[in-house]
Amino acid sequence: MSGEVILEIKGLNKHFGPTYANKNVDLKLRRGEVRGLIGENGSGKSTLLSQIAGLYRPDSGEMLVKGEPYAPHSPIDANRHGISMVMQELGVVGNLPAGVNVFLGRTGQFAKGGVVDLNALNKAAAAQFAKWDLPMPPLNQLTDGMMIETRKMIELARALSIDPDILLLDEVTQSLSLNNRDKLYALIRRFKEMDRAVVVITHDIEEMIRITDTITVLRDGEVVGEVRSAETTLDEIRMMMVGRQVSGEYYRADMTPTYSDEVVLRVKDLSVPHELEDISFEVHAGEILGFCGLSDAGIHSIGKAVYGLSKPSKGTVHMVPTDTDIHSAPQALANFMGYVPKDRDNEALMIHANIRDNSVLPSVEELKGKAGLLAPRKLSRMAEGIRERFSVKTTGVGQTMNALSGGNKQKVNLGRWLAKDLKLLILDCPTRGVDVGVKANIYALMKEAKKDNIATILISDELTEVLGMADRLLVMKDGRITKEIRRDEDFTEQSVIGEMI
Amino acid sequence: MPTSVTTPREKRGLKNWQFILLFVAAIAVILVAFHLLSGGLFLQWSNVTGILARTAYPSFIAWGFCFLFACGYTDMSIGGVVVLGSFASCILGNWFGLPGVILGGLAVGMLLIFINFLIFTYSGIPSWIAGISLAMIYEAIAFLLKISNGTKALVSTSLAMEYRLLGQLPWCLLLLLVGLVVVFFLYNRTTVGLNIRALGGNKDVAEKLGINVKKTLLYVGLISGVLIGFACFLQQSYAGQTTVKTGLTSINIIFQPLAIYLLAQIIQKRINIVICVPICAFILYSIFNFLTMVGVPSGTLQEFFLGAFIIAFGIIGSRRVKGVVK
């Protein structure tokens, strides 16, 4: 760190109606510094970054960039001051090509006589991917249909294309697989070497301690502590975040695979064109079967294929207790399967509908009355039950999903399945974008499901998560299963990474 | 060197050039089949030119839809606007000749569509609701302006034959080609075109990336207005008169251009939608023309075939194109 303060925030306040999102926040960011922002879901981290990035205007307080007063009225204005941000939920525009998305809002710089030179634009976009050593997507292809990870890389290239002095990263790493995380870490180090600054939000405390110089902890919108990353511990951060000692283990403490002999799901020779090849495995009652792999390994296609959302070219997905081959999602649902996809907002939840409708959706068949009608009182009762059981922080079940924080959305997403009588639950990155408290909650629920003899397929980009929870782990590469490791074997990060690479 | 990211979509079986080749071949086969089935009448030069002349004005309306739907809006009043624009084209054409034909249609088309978008942008009313209300207003105005009282239907007086030049070949085809080039660049290669598409793709992202939503919407009004304006005077020049009743019947006018847009949308994953529009218009009117030739009654039965054709086209066009979100 050179020591020169590049961004200073003094007494920043922000309200959203009755919610006090940021209370008198003070922060000093220096050149060459990587600052972590951590706190529970709803603690005001994203709100703070959004104000720095010009998305929201503070109610009061002051910001200074390089000693000059700074009050951005838009993200473009923030860009002009050398600040750019990759947002947690922003995304890309699906009906425009990847290259255009990198310069969206600034395509005018490639216009000659009113016509945008797409070749020049794509060349400039490619140069950004090359400059920052990011994996390049097909630039002429529409982003609609691209993986979350690819879309995140496009957003990253977009943020970097303004050559920022301050880069704000809100929950970026959790969308990335291990190999691309390494690229992001290298990028952060490079920023540091260039004497620029990075502010990172991540719910992975270990990762935060590893990649940052300093960590600011927020609770209920207030800064409750600032520590040097090299001098702090995981427990200290957790305690600062929640305001009390966090007890108990996140993950399983045992190292023995414990599940019954009863096979719940049998997948045989399953192939999905360009995604999966000759996949065979079994999942037992009470077992947590983990899947891990690098990007494009095909792990996320497993969940879709098993739940009947893909069209396999060959192979079978057989639900043993009901003796049924699964070919479609409704069939999967009727055969006691549940599926929590990775892309929560686009694939799992009806984001503009209320909590009640989202909560009851997988259970409407069971909730139907004799005449086939749904009684509103019954639906509300079930939704209320989920809200209470899973401690969803909300004003009521009539609140729309998009008003909830990521963690609370995930509670609804997961809770609605656990409220059902399931034999198999497929979880694809269930803790993506949730805080330490919700994570612990989700792991506890997984343990509870295991106890209830529910078979679980856990697909995750977080290696520690699958190692911490799974009875068996299937490592994938290029759409194939390359290795099976049991919990009582060489169940370590090193051995798994070796297989993944 | 950065590694590249591949997606399942990239790996789809049929390459675009193969699809285009197959598509052109399929059209050729269908046209030859029509020719044979119609006893050698269909591909006669006079018949083909007739179809080509008919494709011009619906193509302009369908291009207008491209911009409208791209930004996520719907305008049900376009039929009413075409009626009023055609009236203006007819009246001013008969007064001032060819310049009057062009100016009348363009001015009314542009003005009314721009007014529509002012209302959509600033009122906050869903565009399809506001559009229906506006369609009723425009129909009522047209009814008040009716020139002939011969029937309950509103029948405007005809445009003089000497001023119908732009609706005939080669002029309408020339305008169609110029329109194709201009609209292609506007939609695909200009900042405003990209911003319009960004708005329909993800309004929140567009807004956060500094795209001025209201200004962009007004641009949509302006661009669509010009295109509908062209459609107005081309329609009047082609048909010579415009007929409409009240009771939202003006919406009928947009059904065929809407079908053209839908067909174009189906194959836009392979061929640019702006290019697809006149091709699909030609296919559509070829089918109508053939059905008429073989004695299929116009109206219900022809519409049955049109509906079935769109479904079949959709199934074939969507095959092997899959958007996977992981």
Side-chain angles (χ1 to χ4, degrees), chain A residues 264-268 270 272 275-276 279-281 283 289 291 298-312 316-319 324-333 335 337-339 424-427 456-457 459:
Chain A
V264 173
L265 180 85
R266 184 172 290 129
V267 175
K268 206 173 170 202
L270 188 69
V272 176
E275 292 178 40
L276 299 173
I279 299 292
S280 297
F281 63 89
V283 200
L289 177 66
F291 277 88
I299 55 170
H300 305 294
S301 302
I302 290 281
K304 284 186 166 56
V306 169
Y307 200 69
L309 292 164
S310 305
K311 201 175 173 188
T316 52
V317 176
H318 188 72
M319 200 61 185
T324 313
D325 281 345
I326 304 298
H327 300 290
S328 67
Q331 207 185 8
L333 181 72
N335 282 277
M337 269 197 209
Y339 174 44
L424 175 77
L425 178 61
I426 305 162
L427 302 173
T456 304
I457 293 177
I459 301 158

Side-chain angles (χ1 to χ4, degrees), chain A residues 70-86:
Chain A
Y70 168 68
H73 49 77
S74 70
I76 298 292
D77 194 24
N79 290 170
R80 282 190 209 109
H81 287 85
I83 297 175
S84 66
M85 178 173 172
V86 181

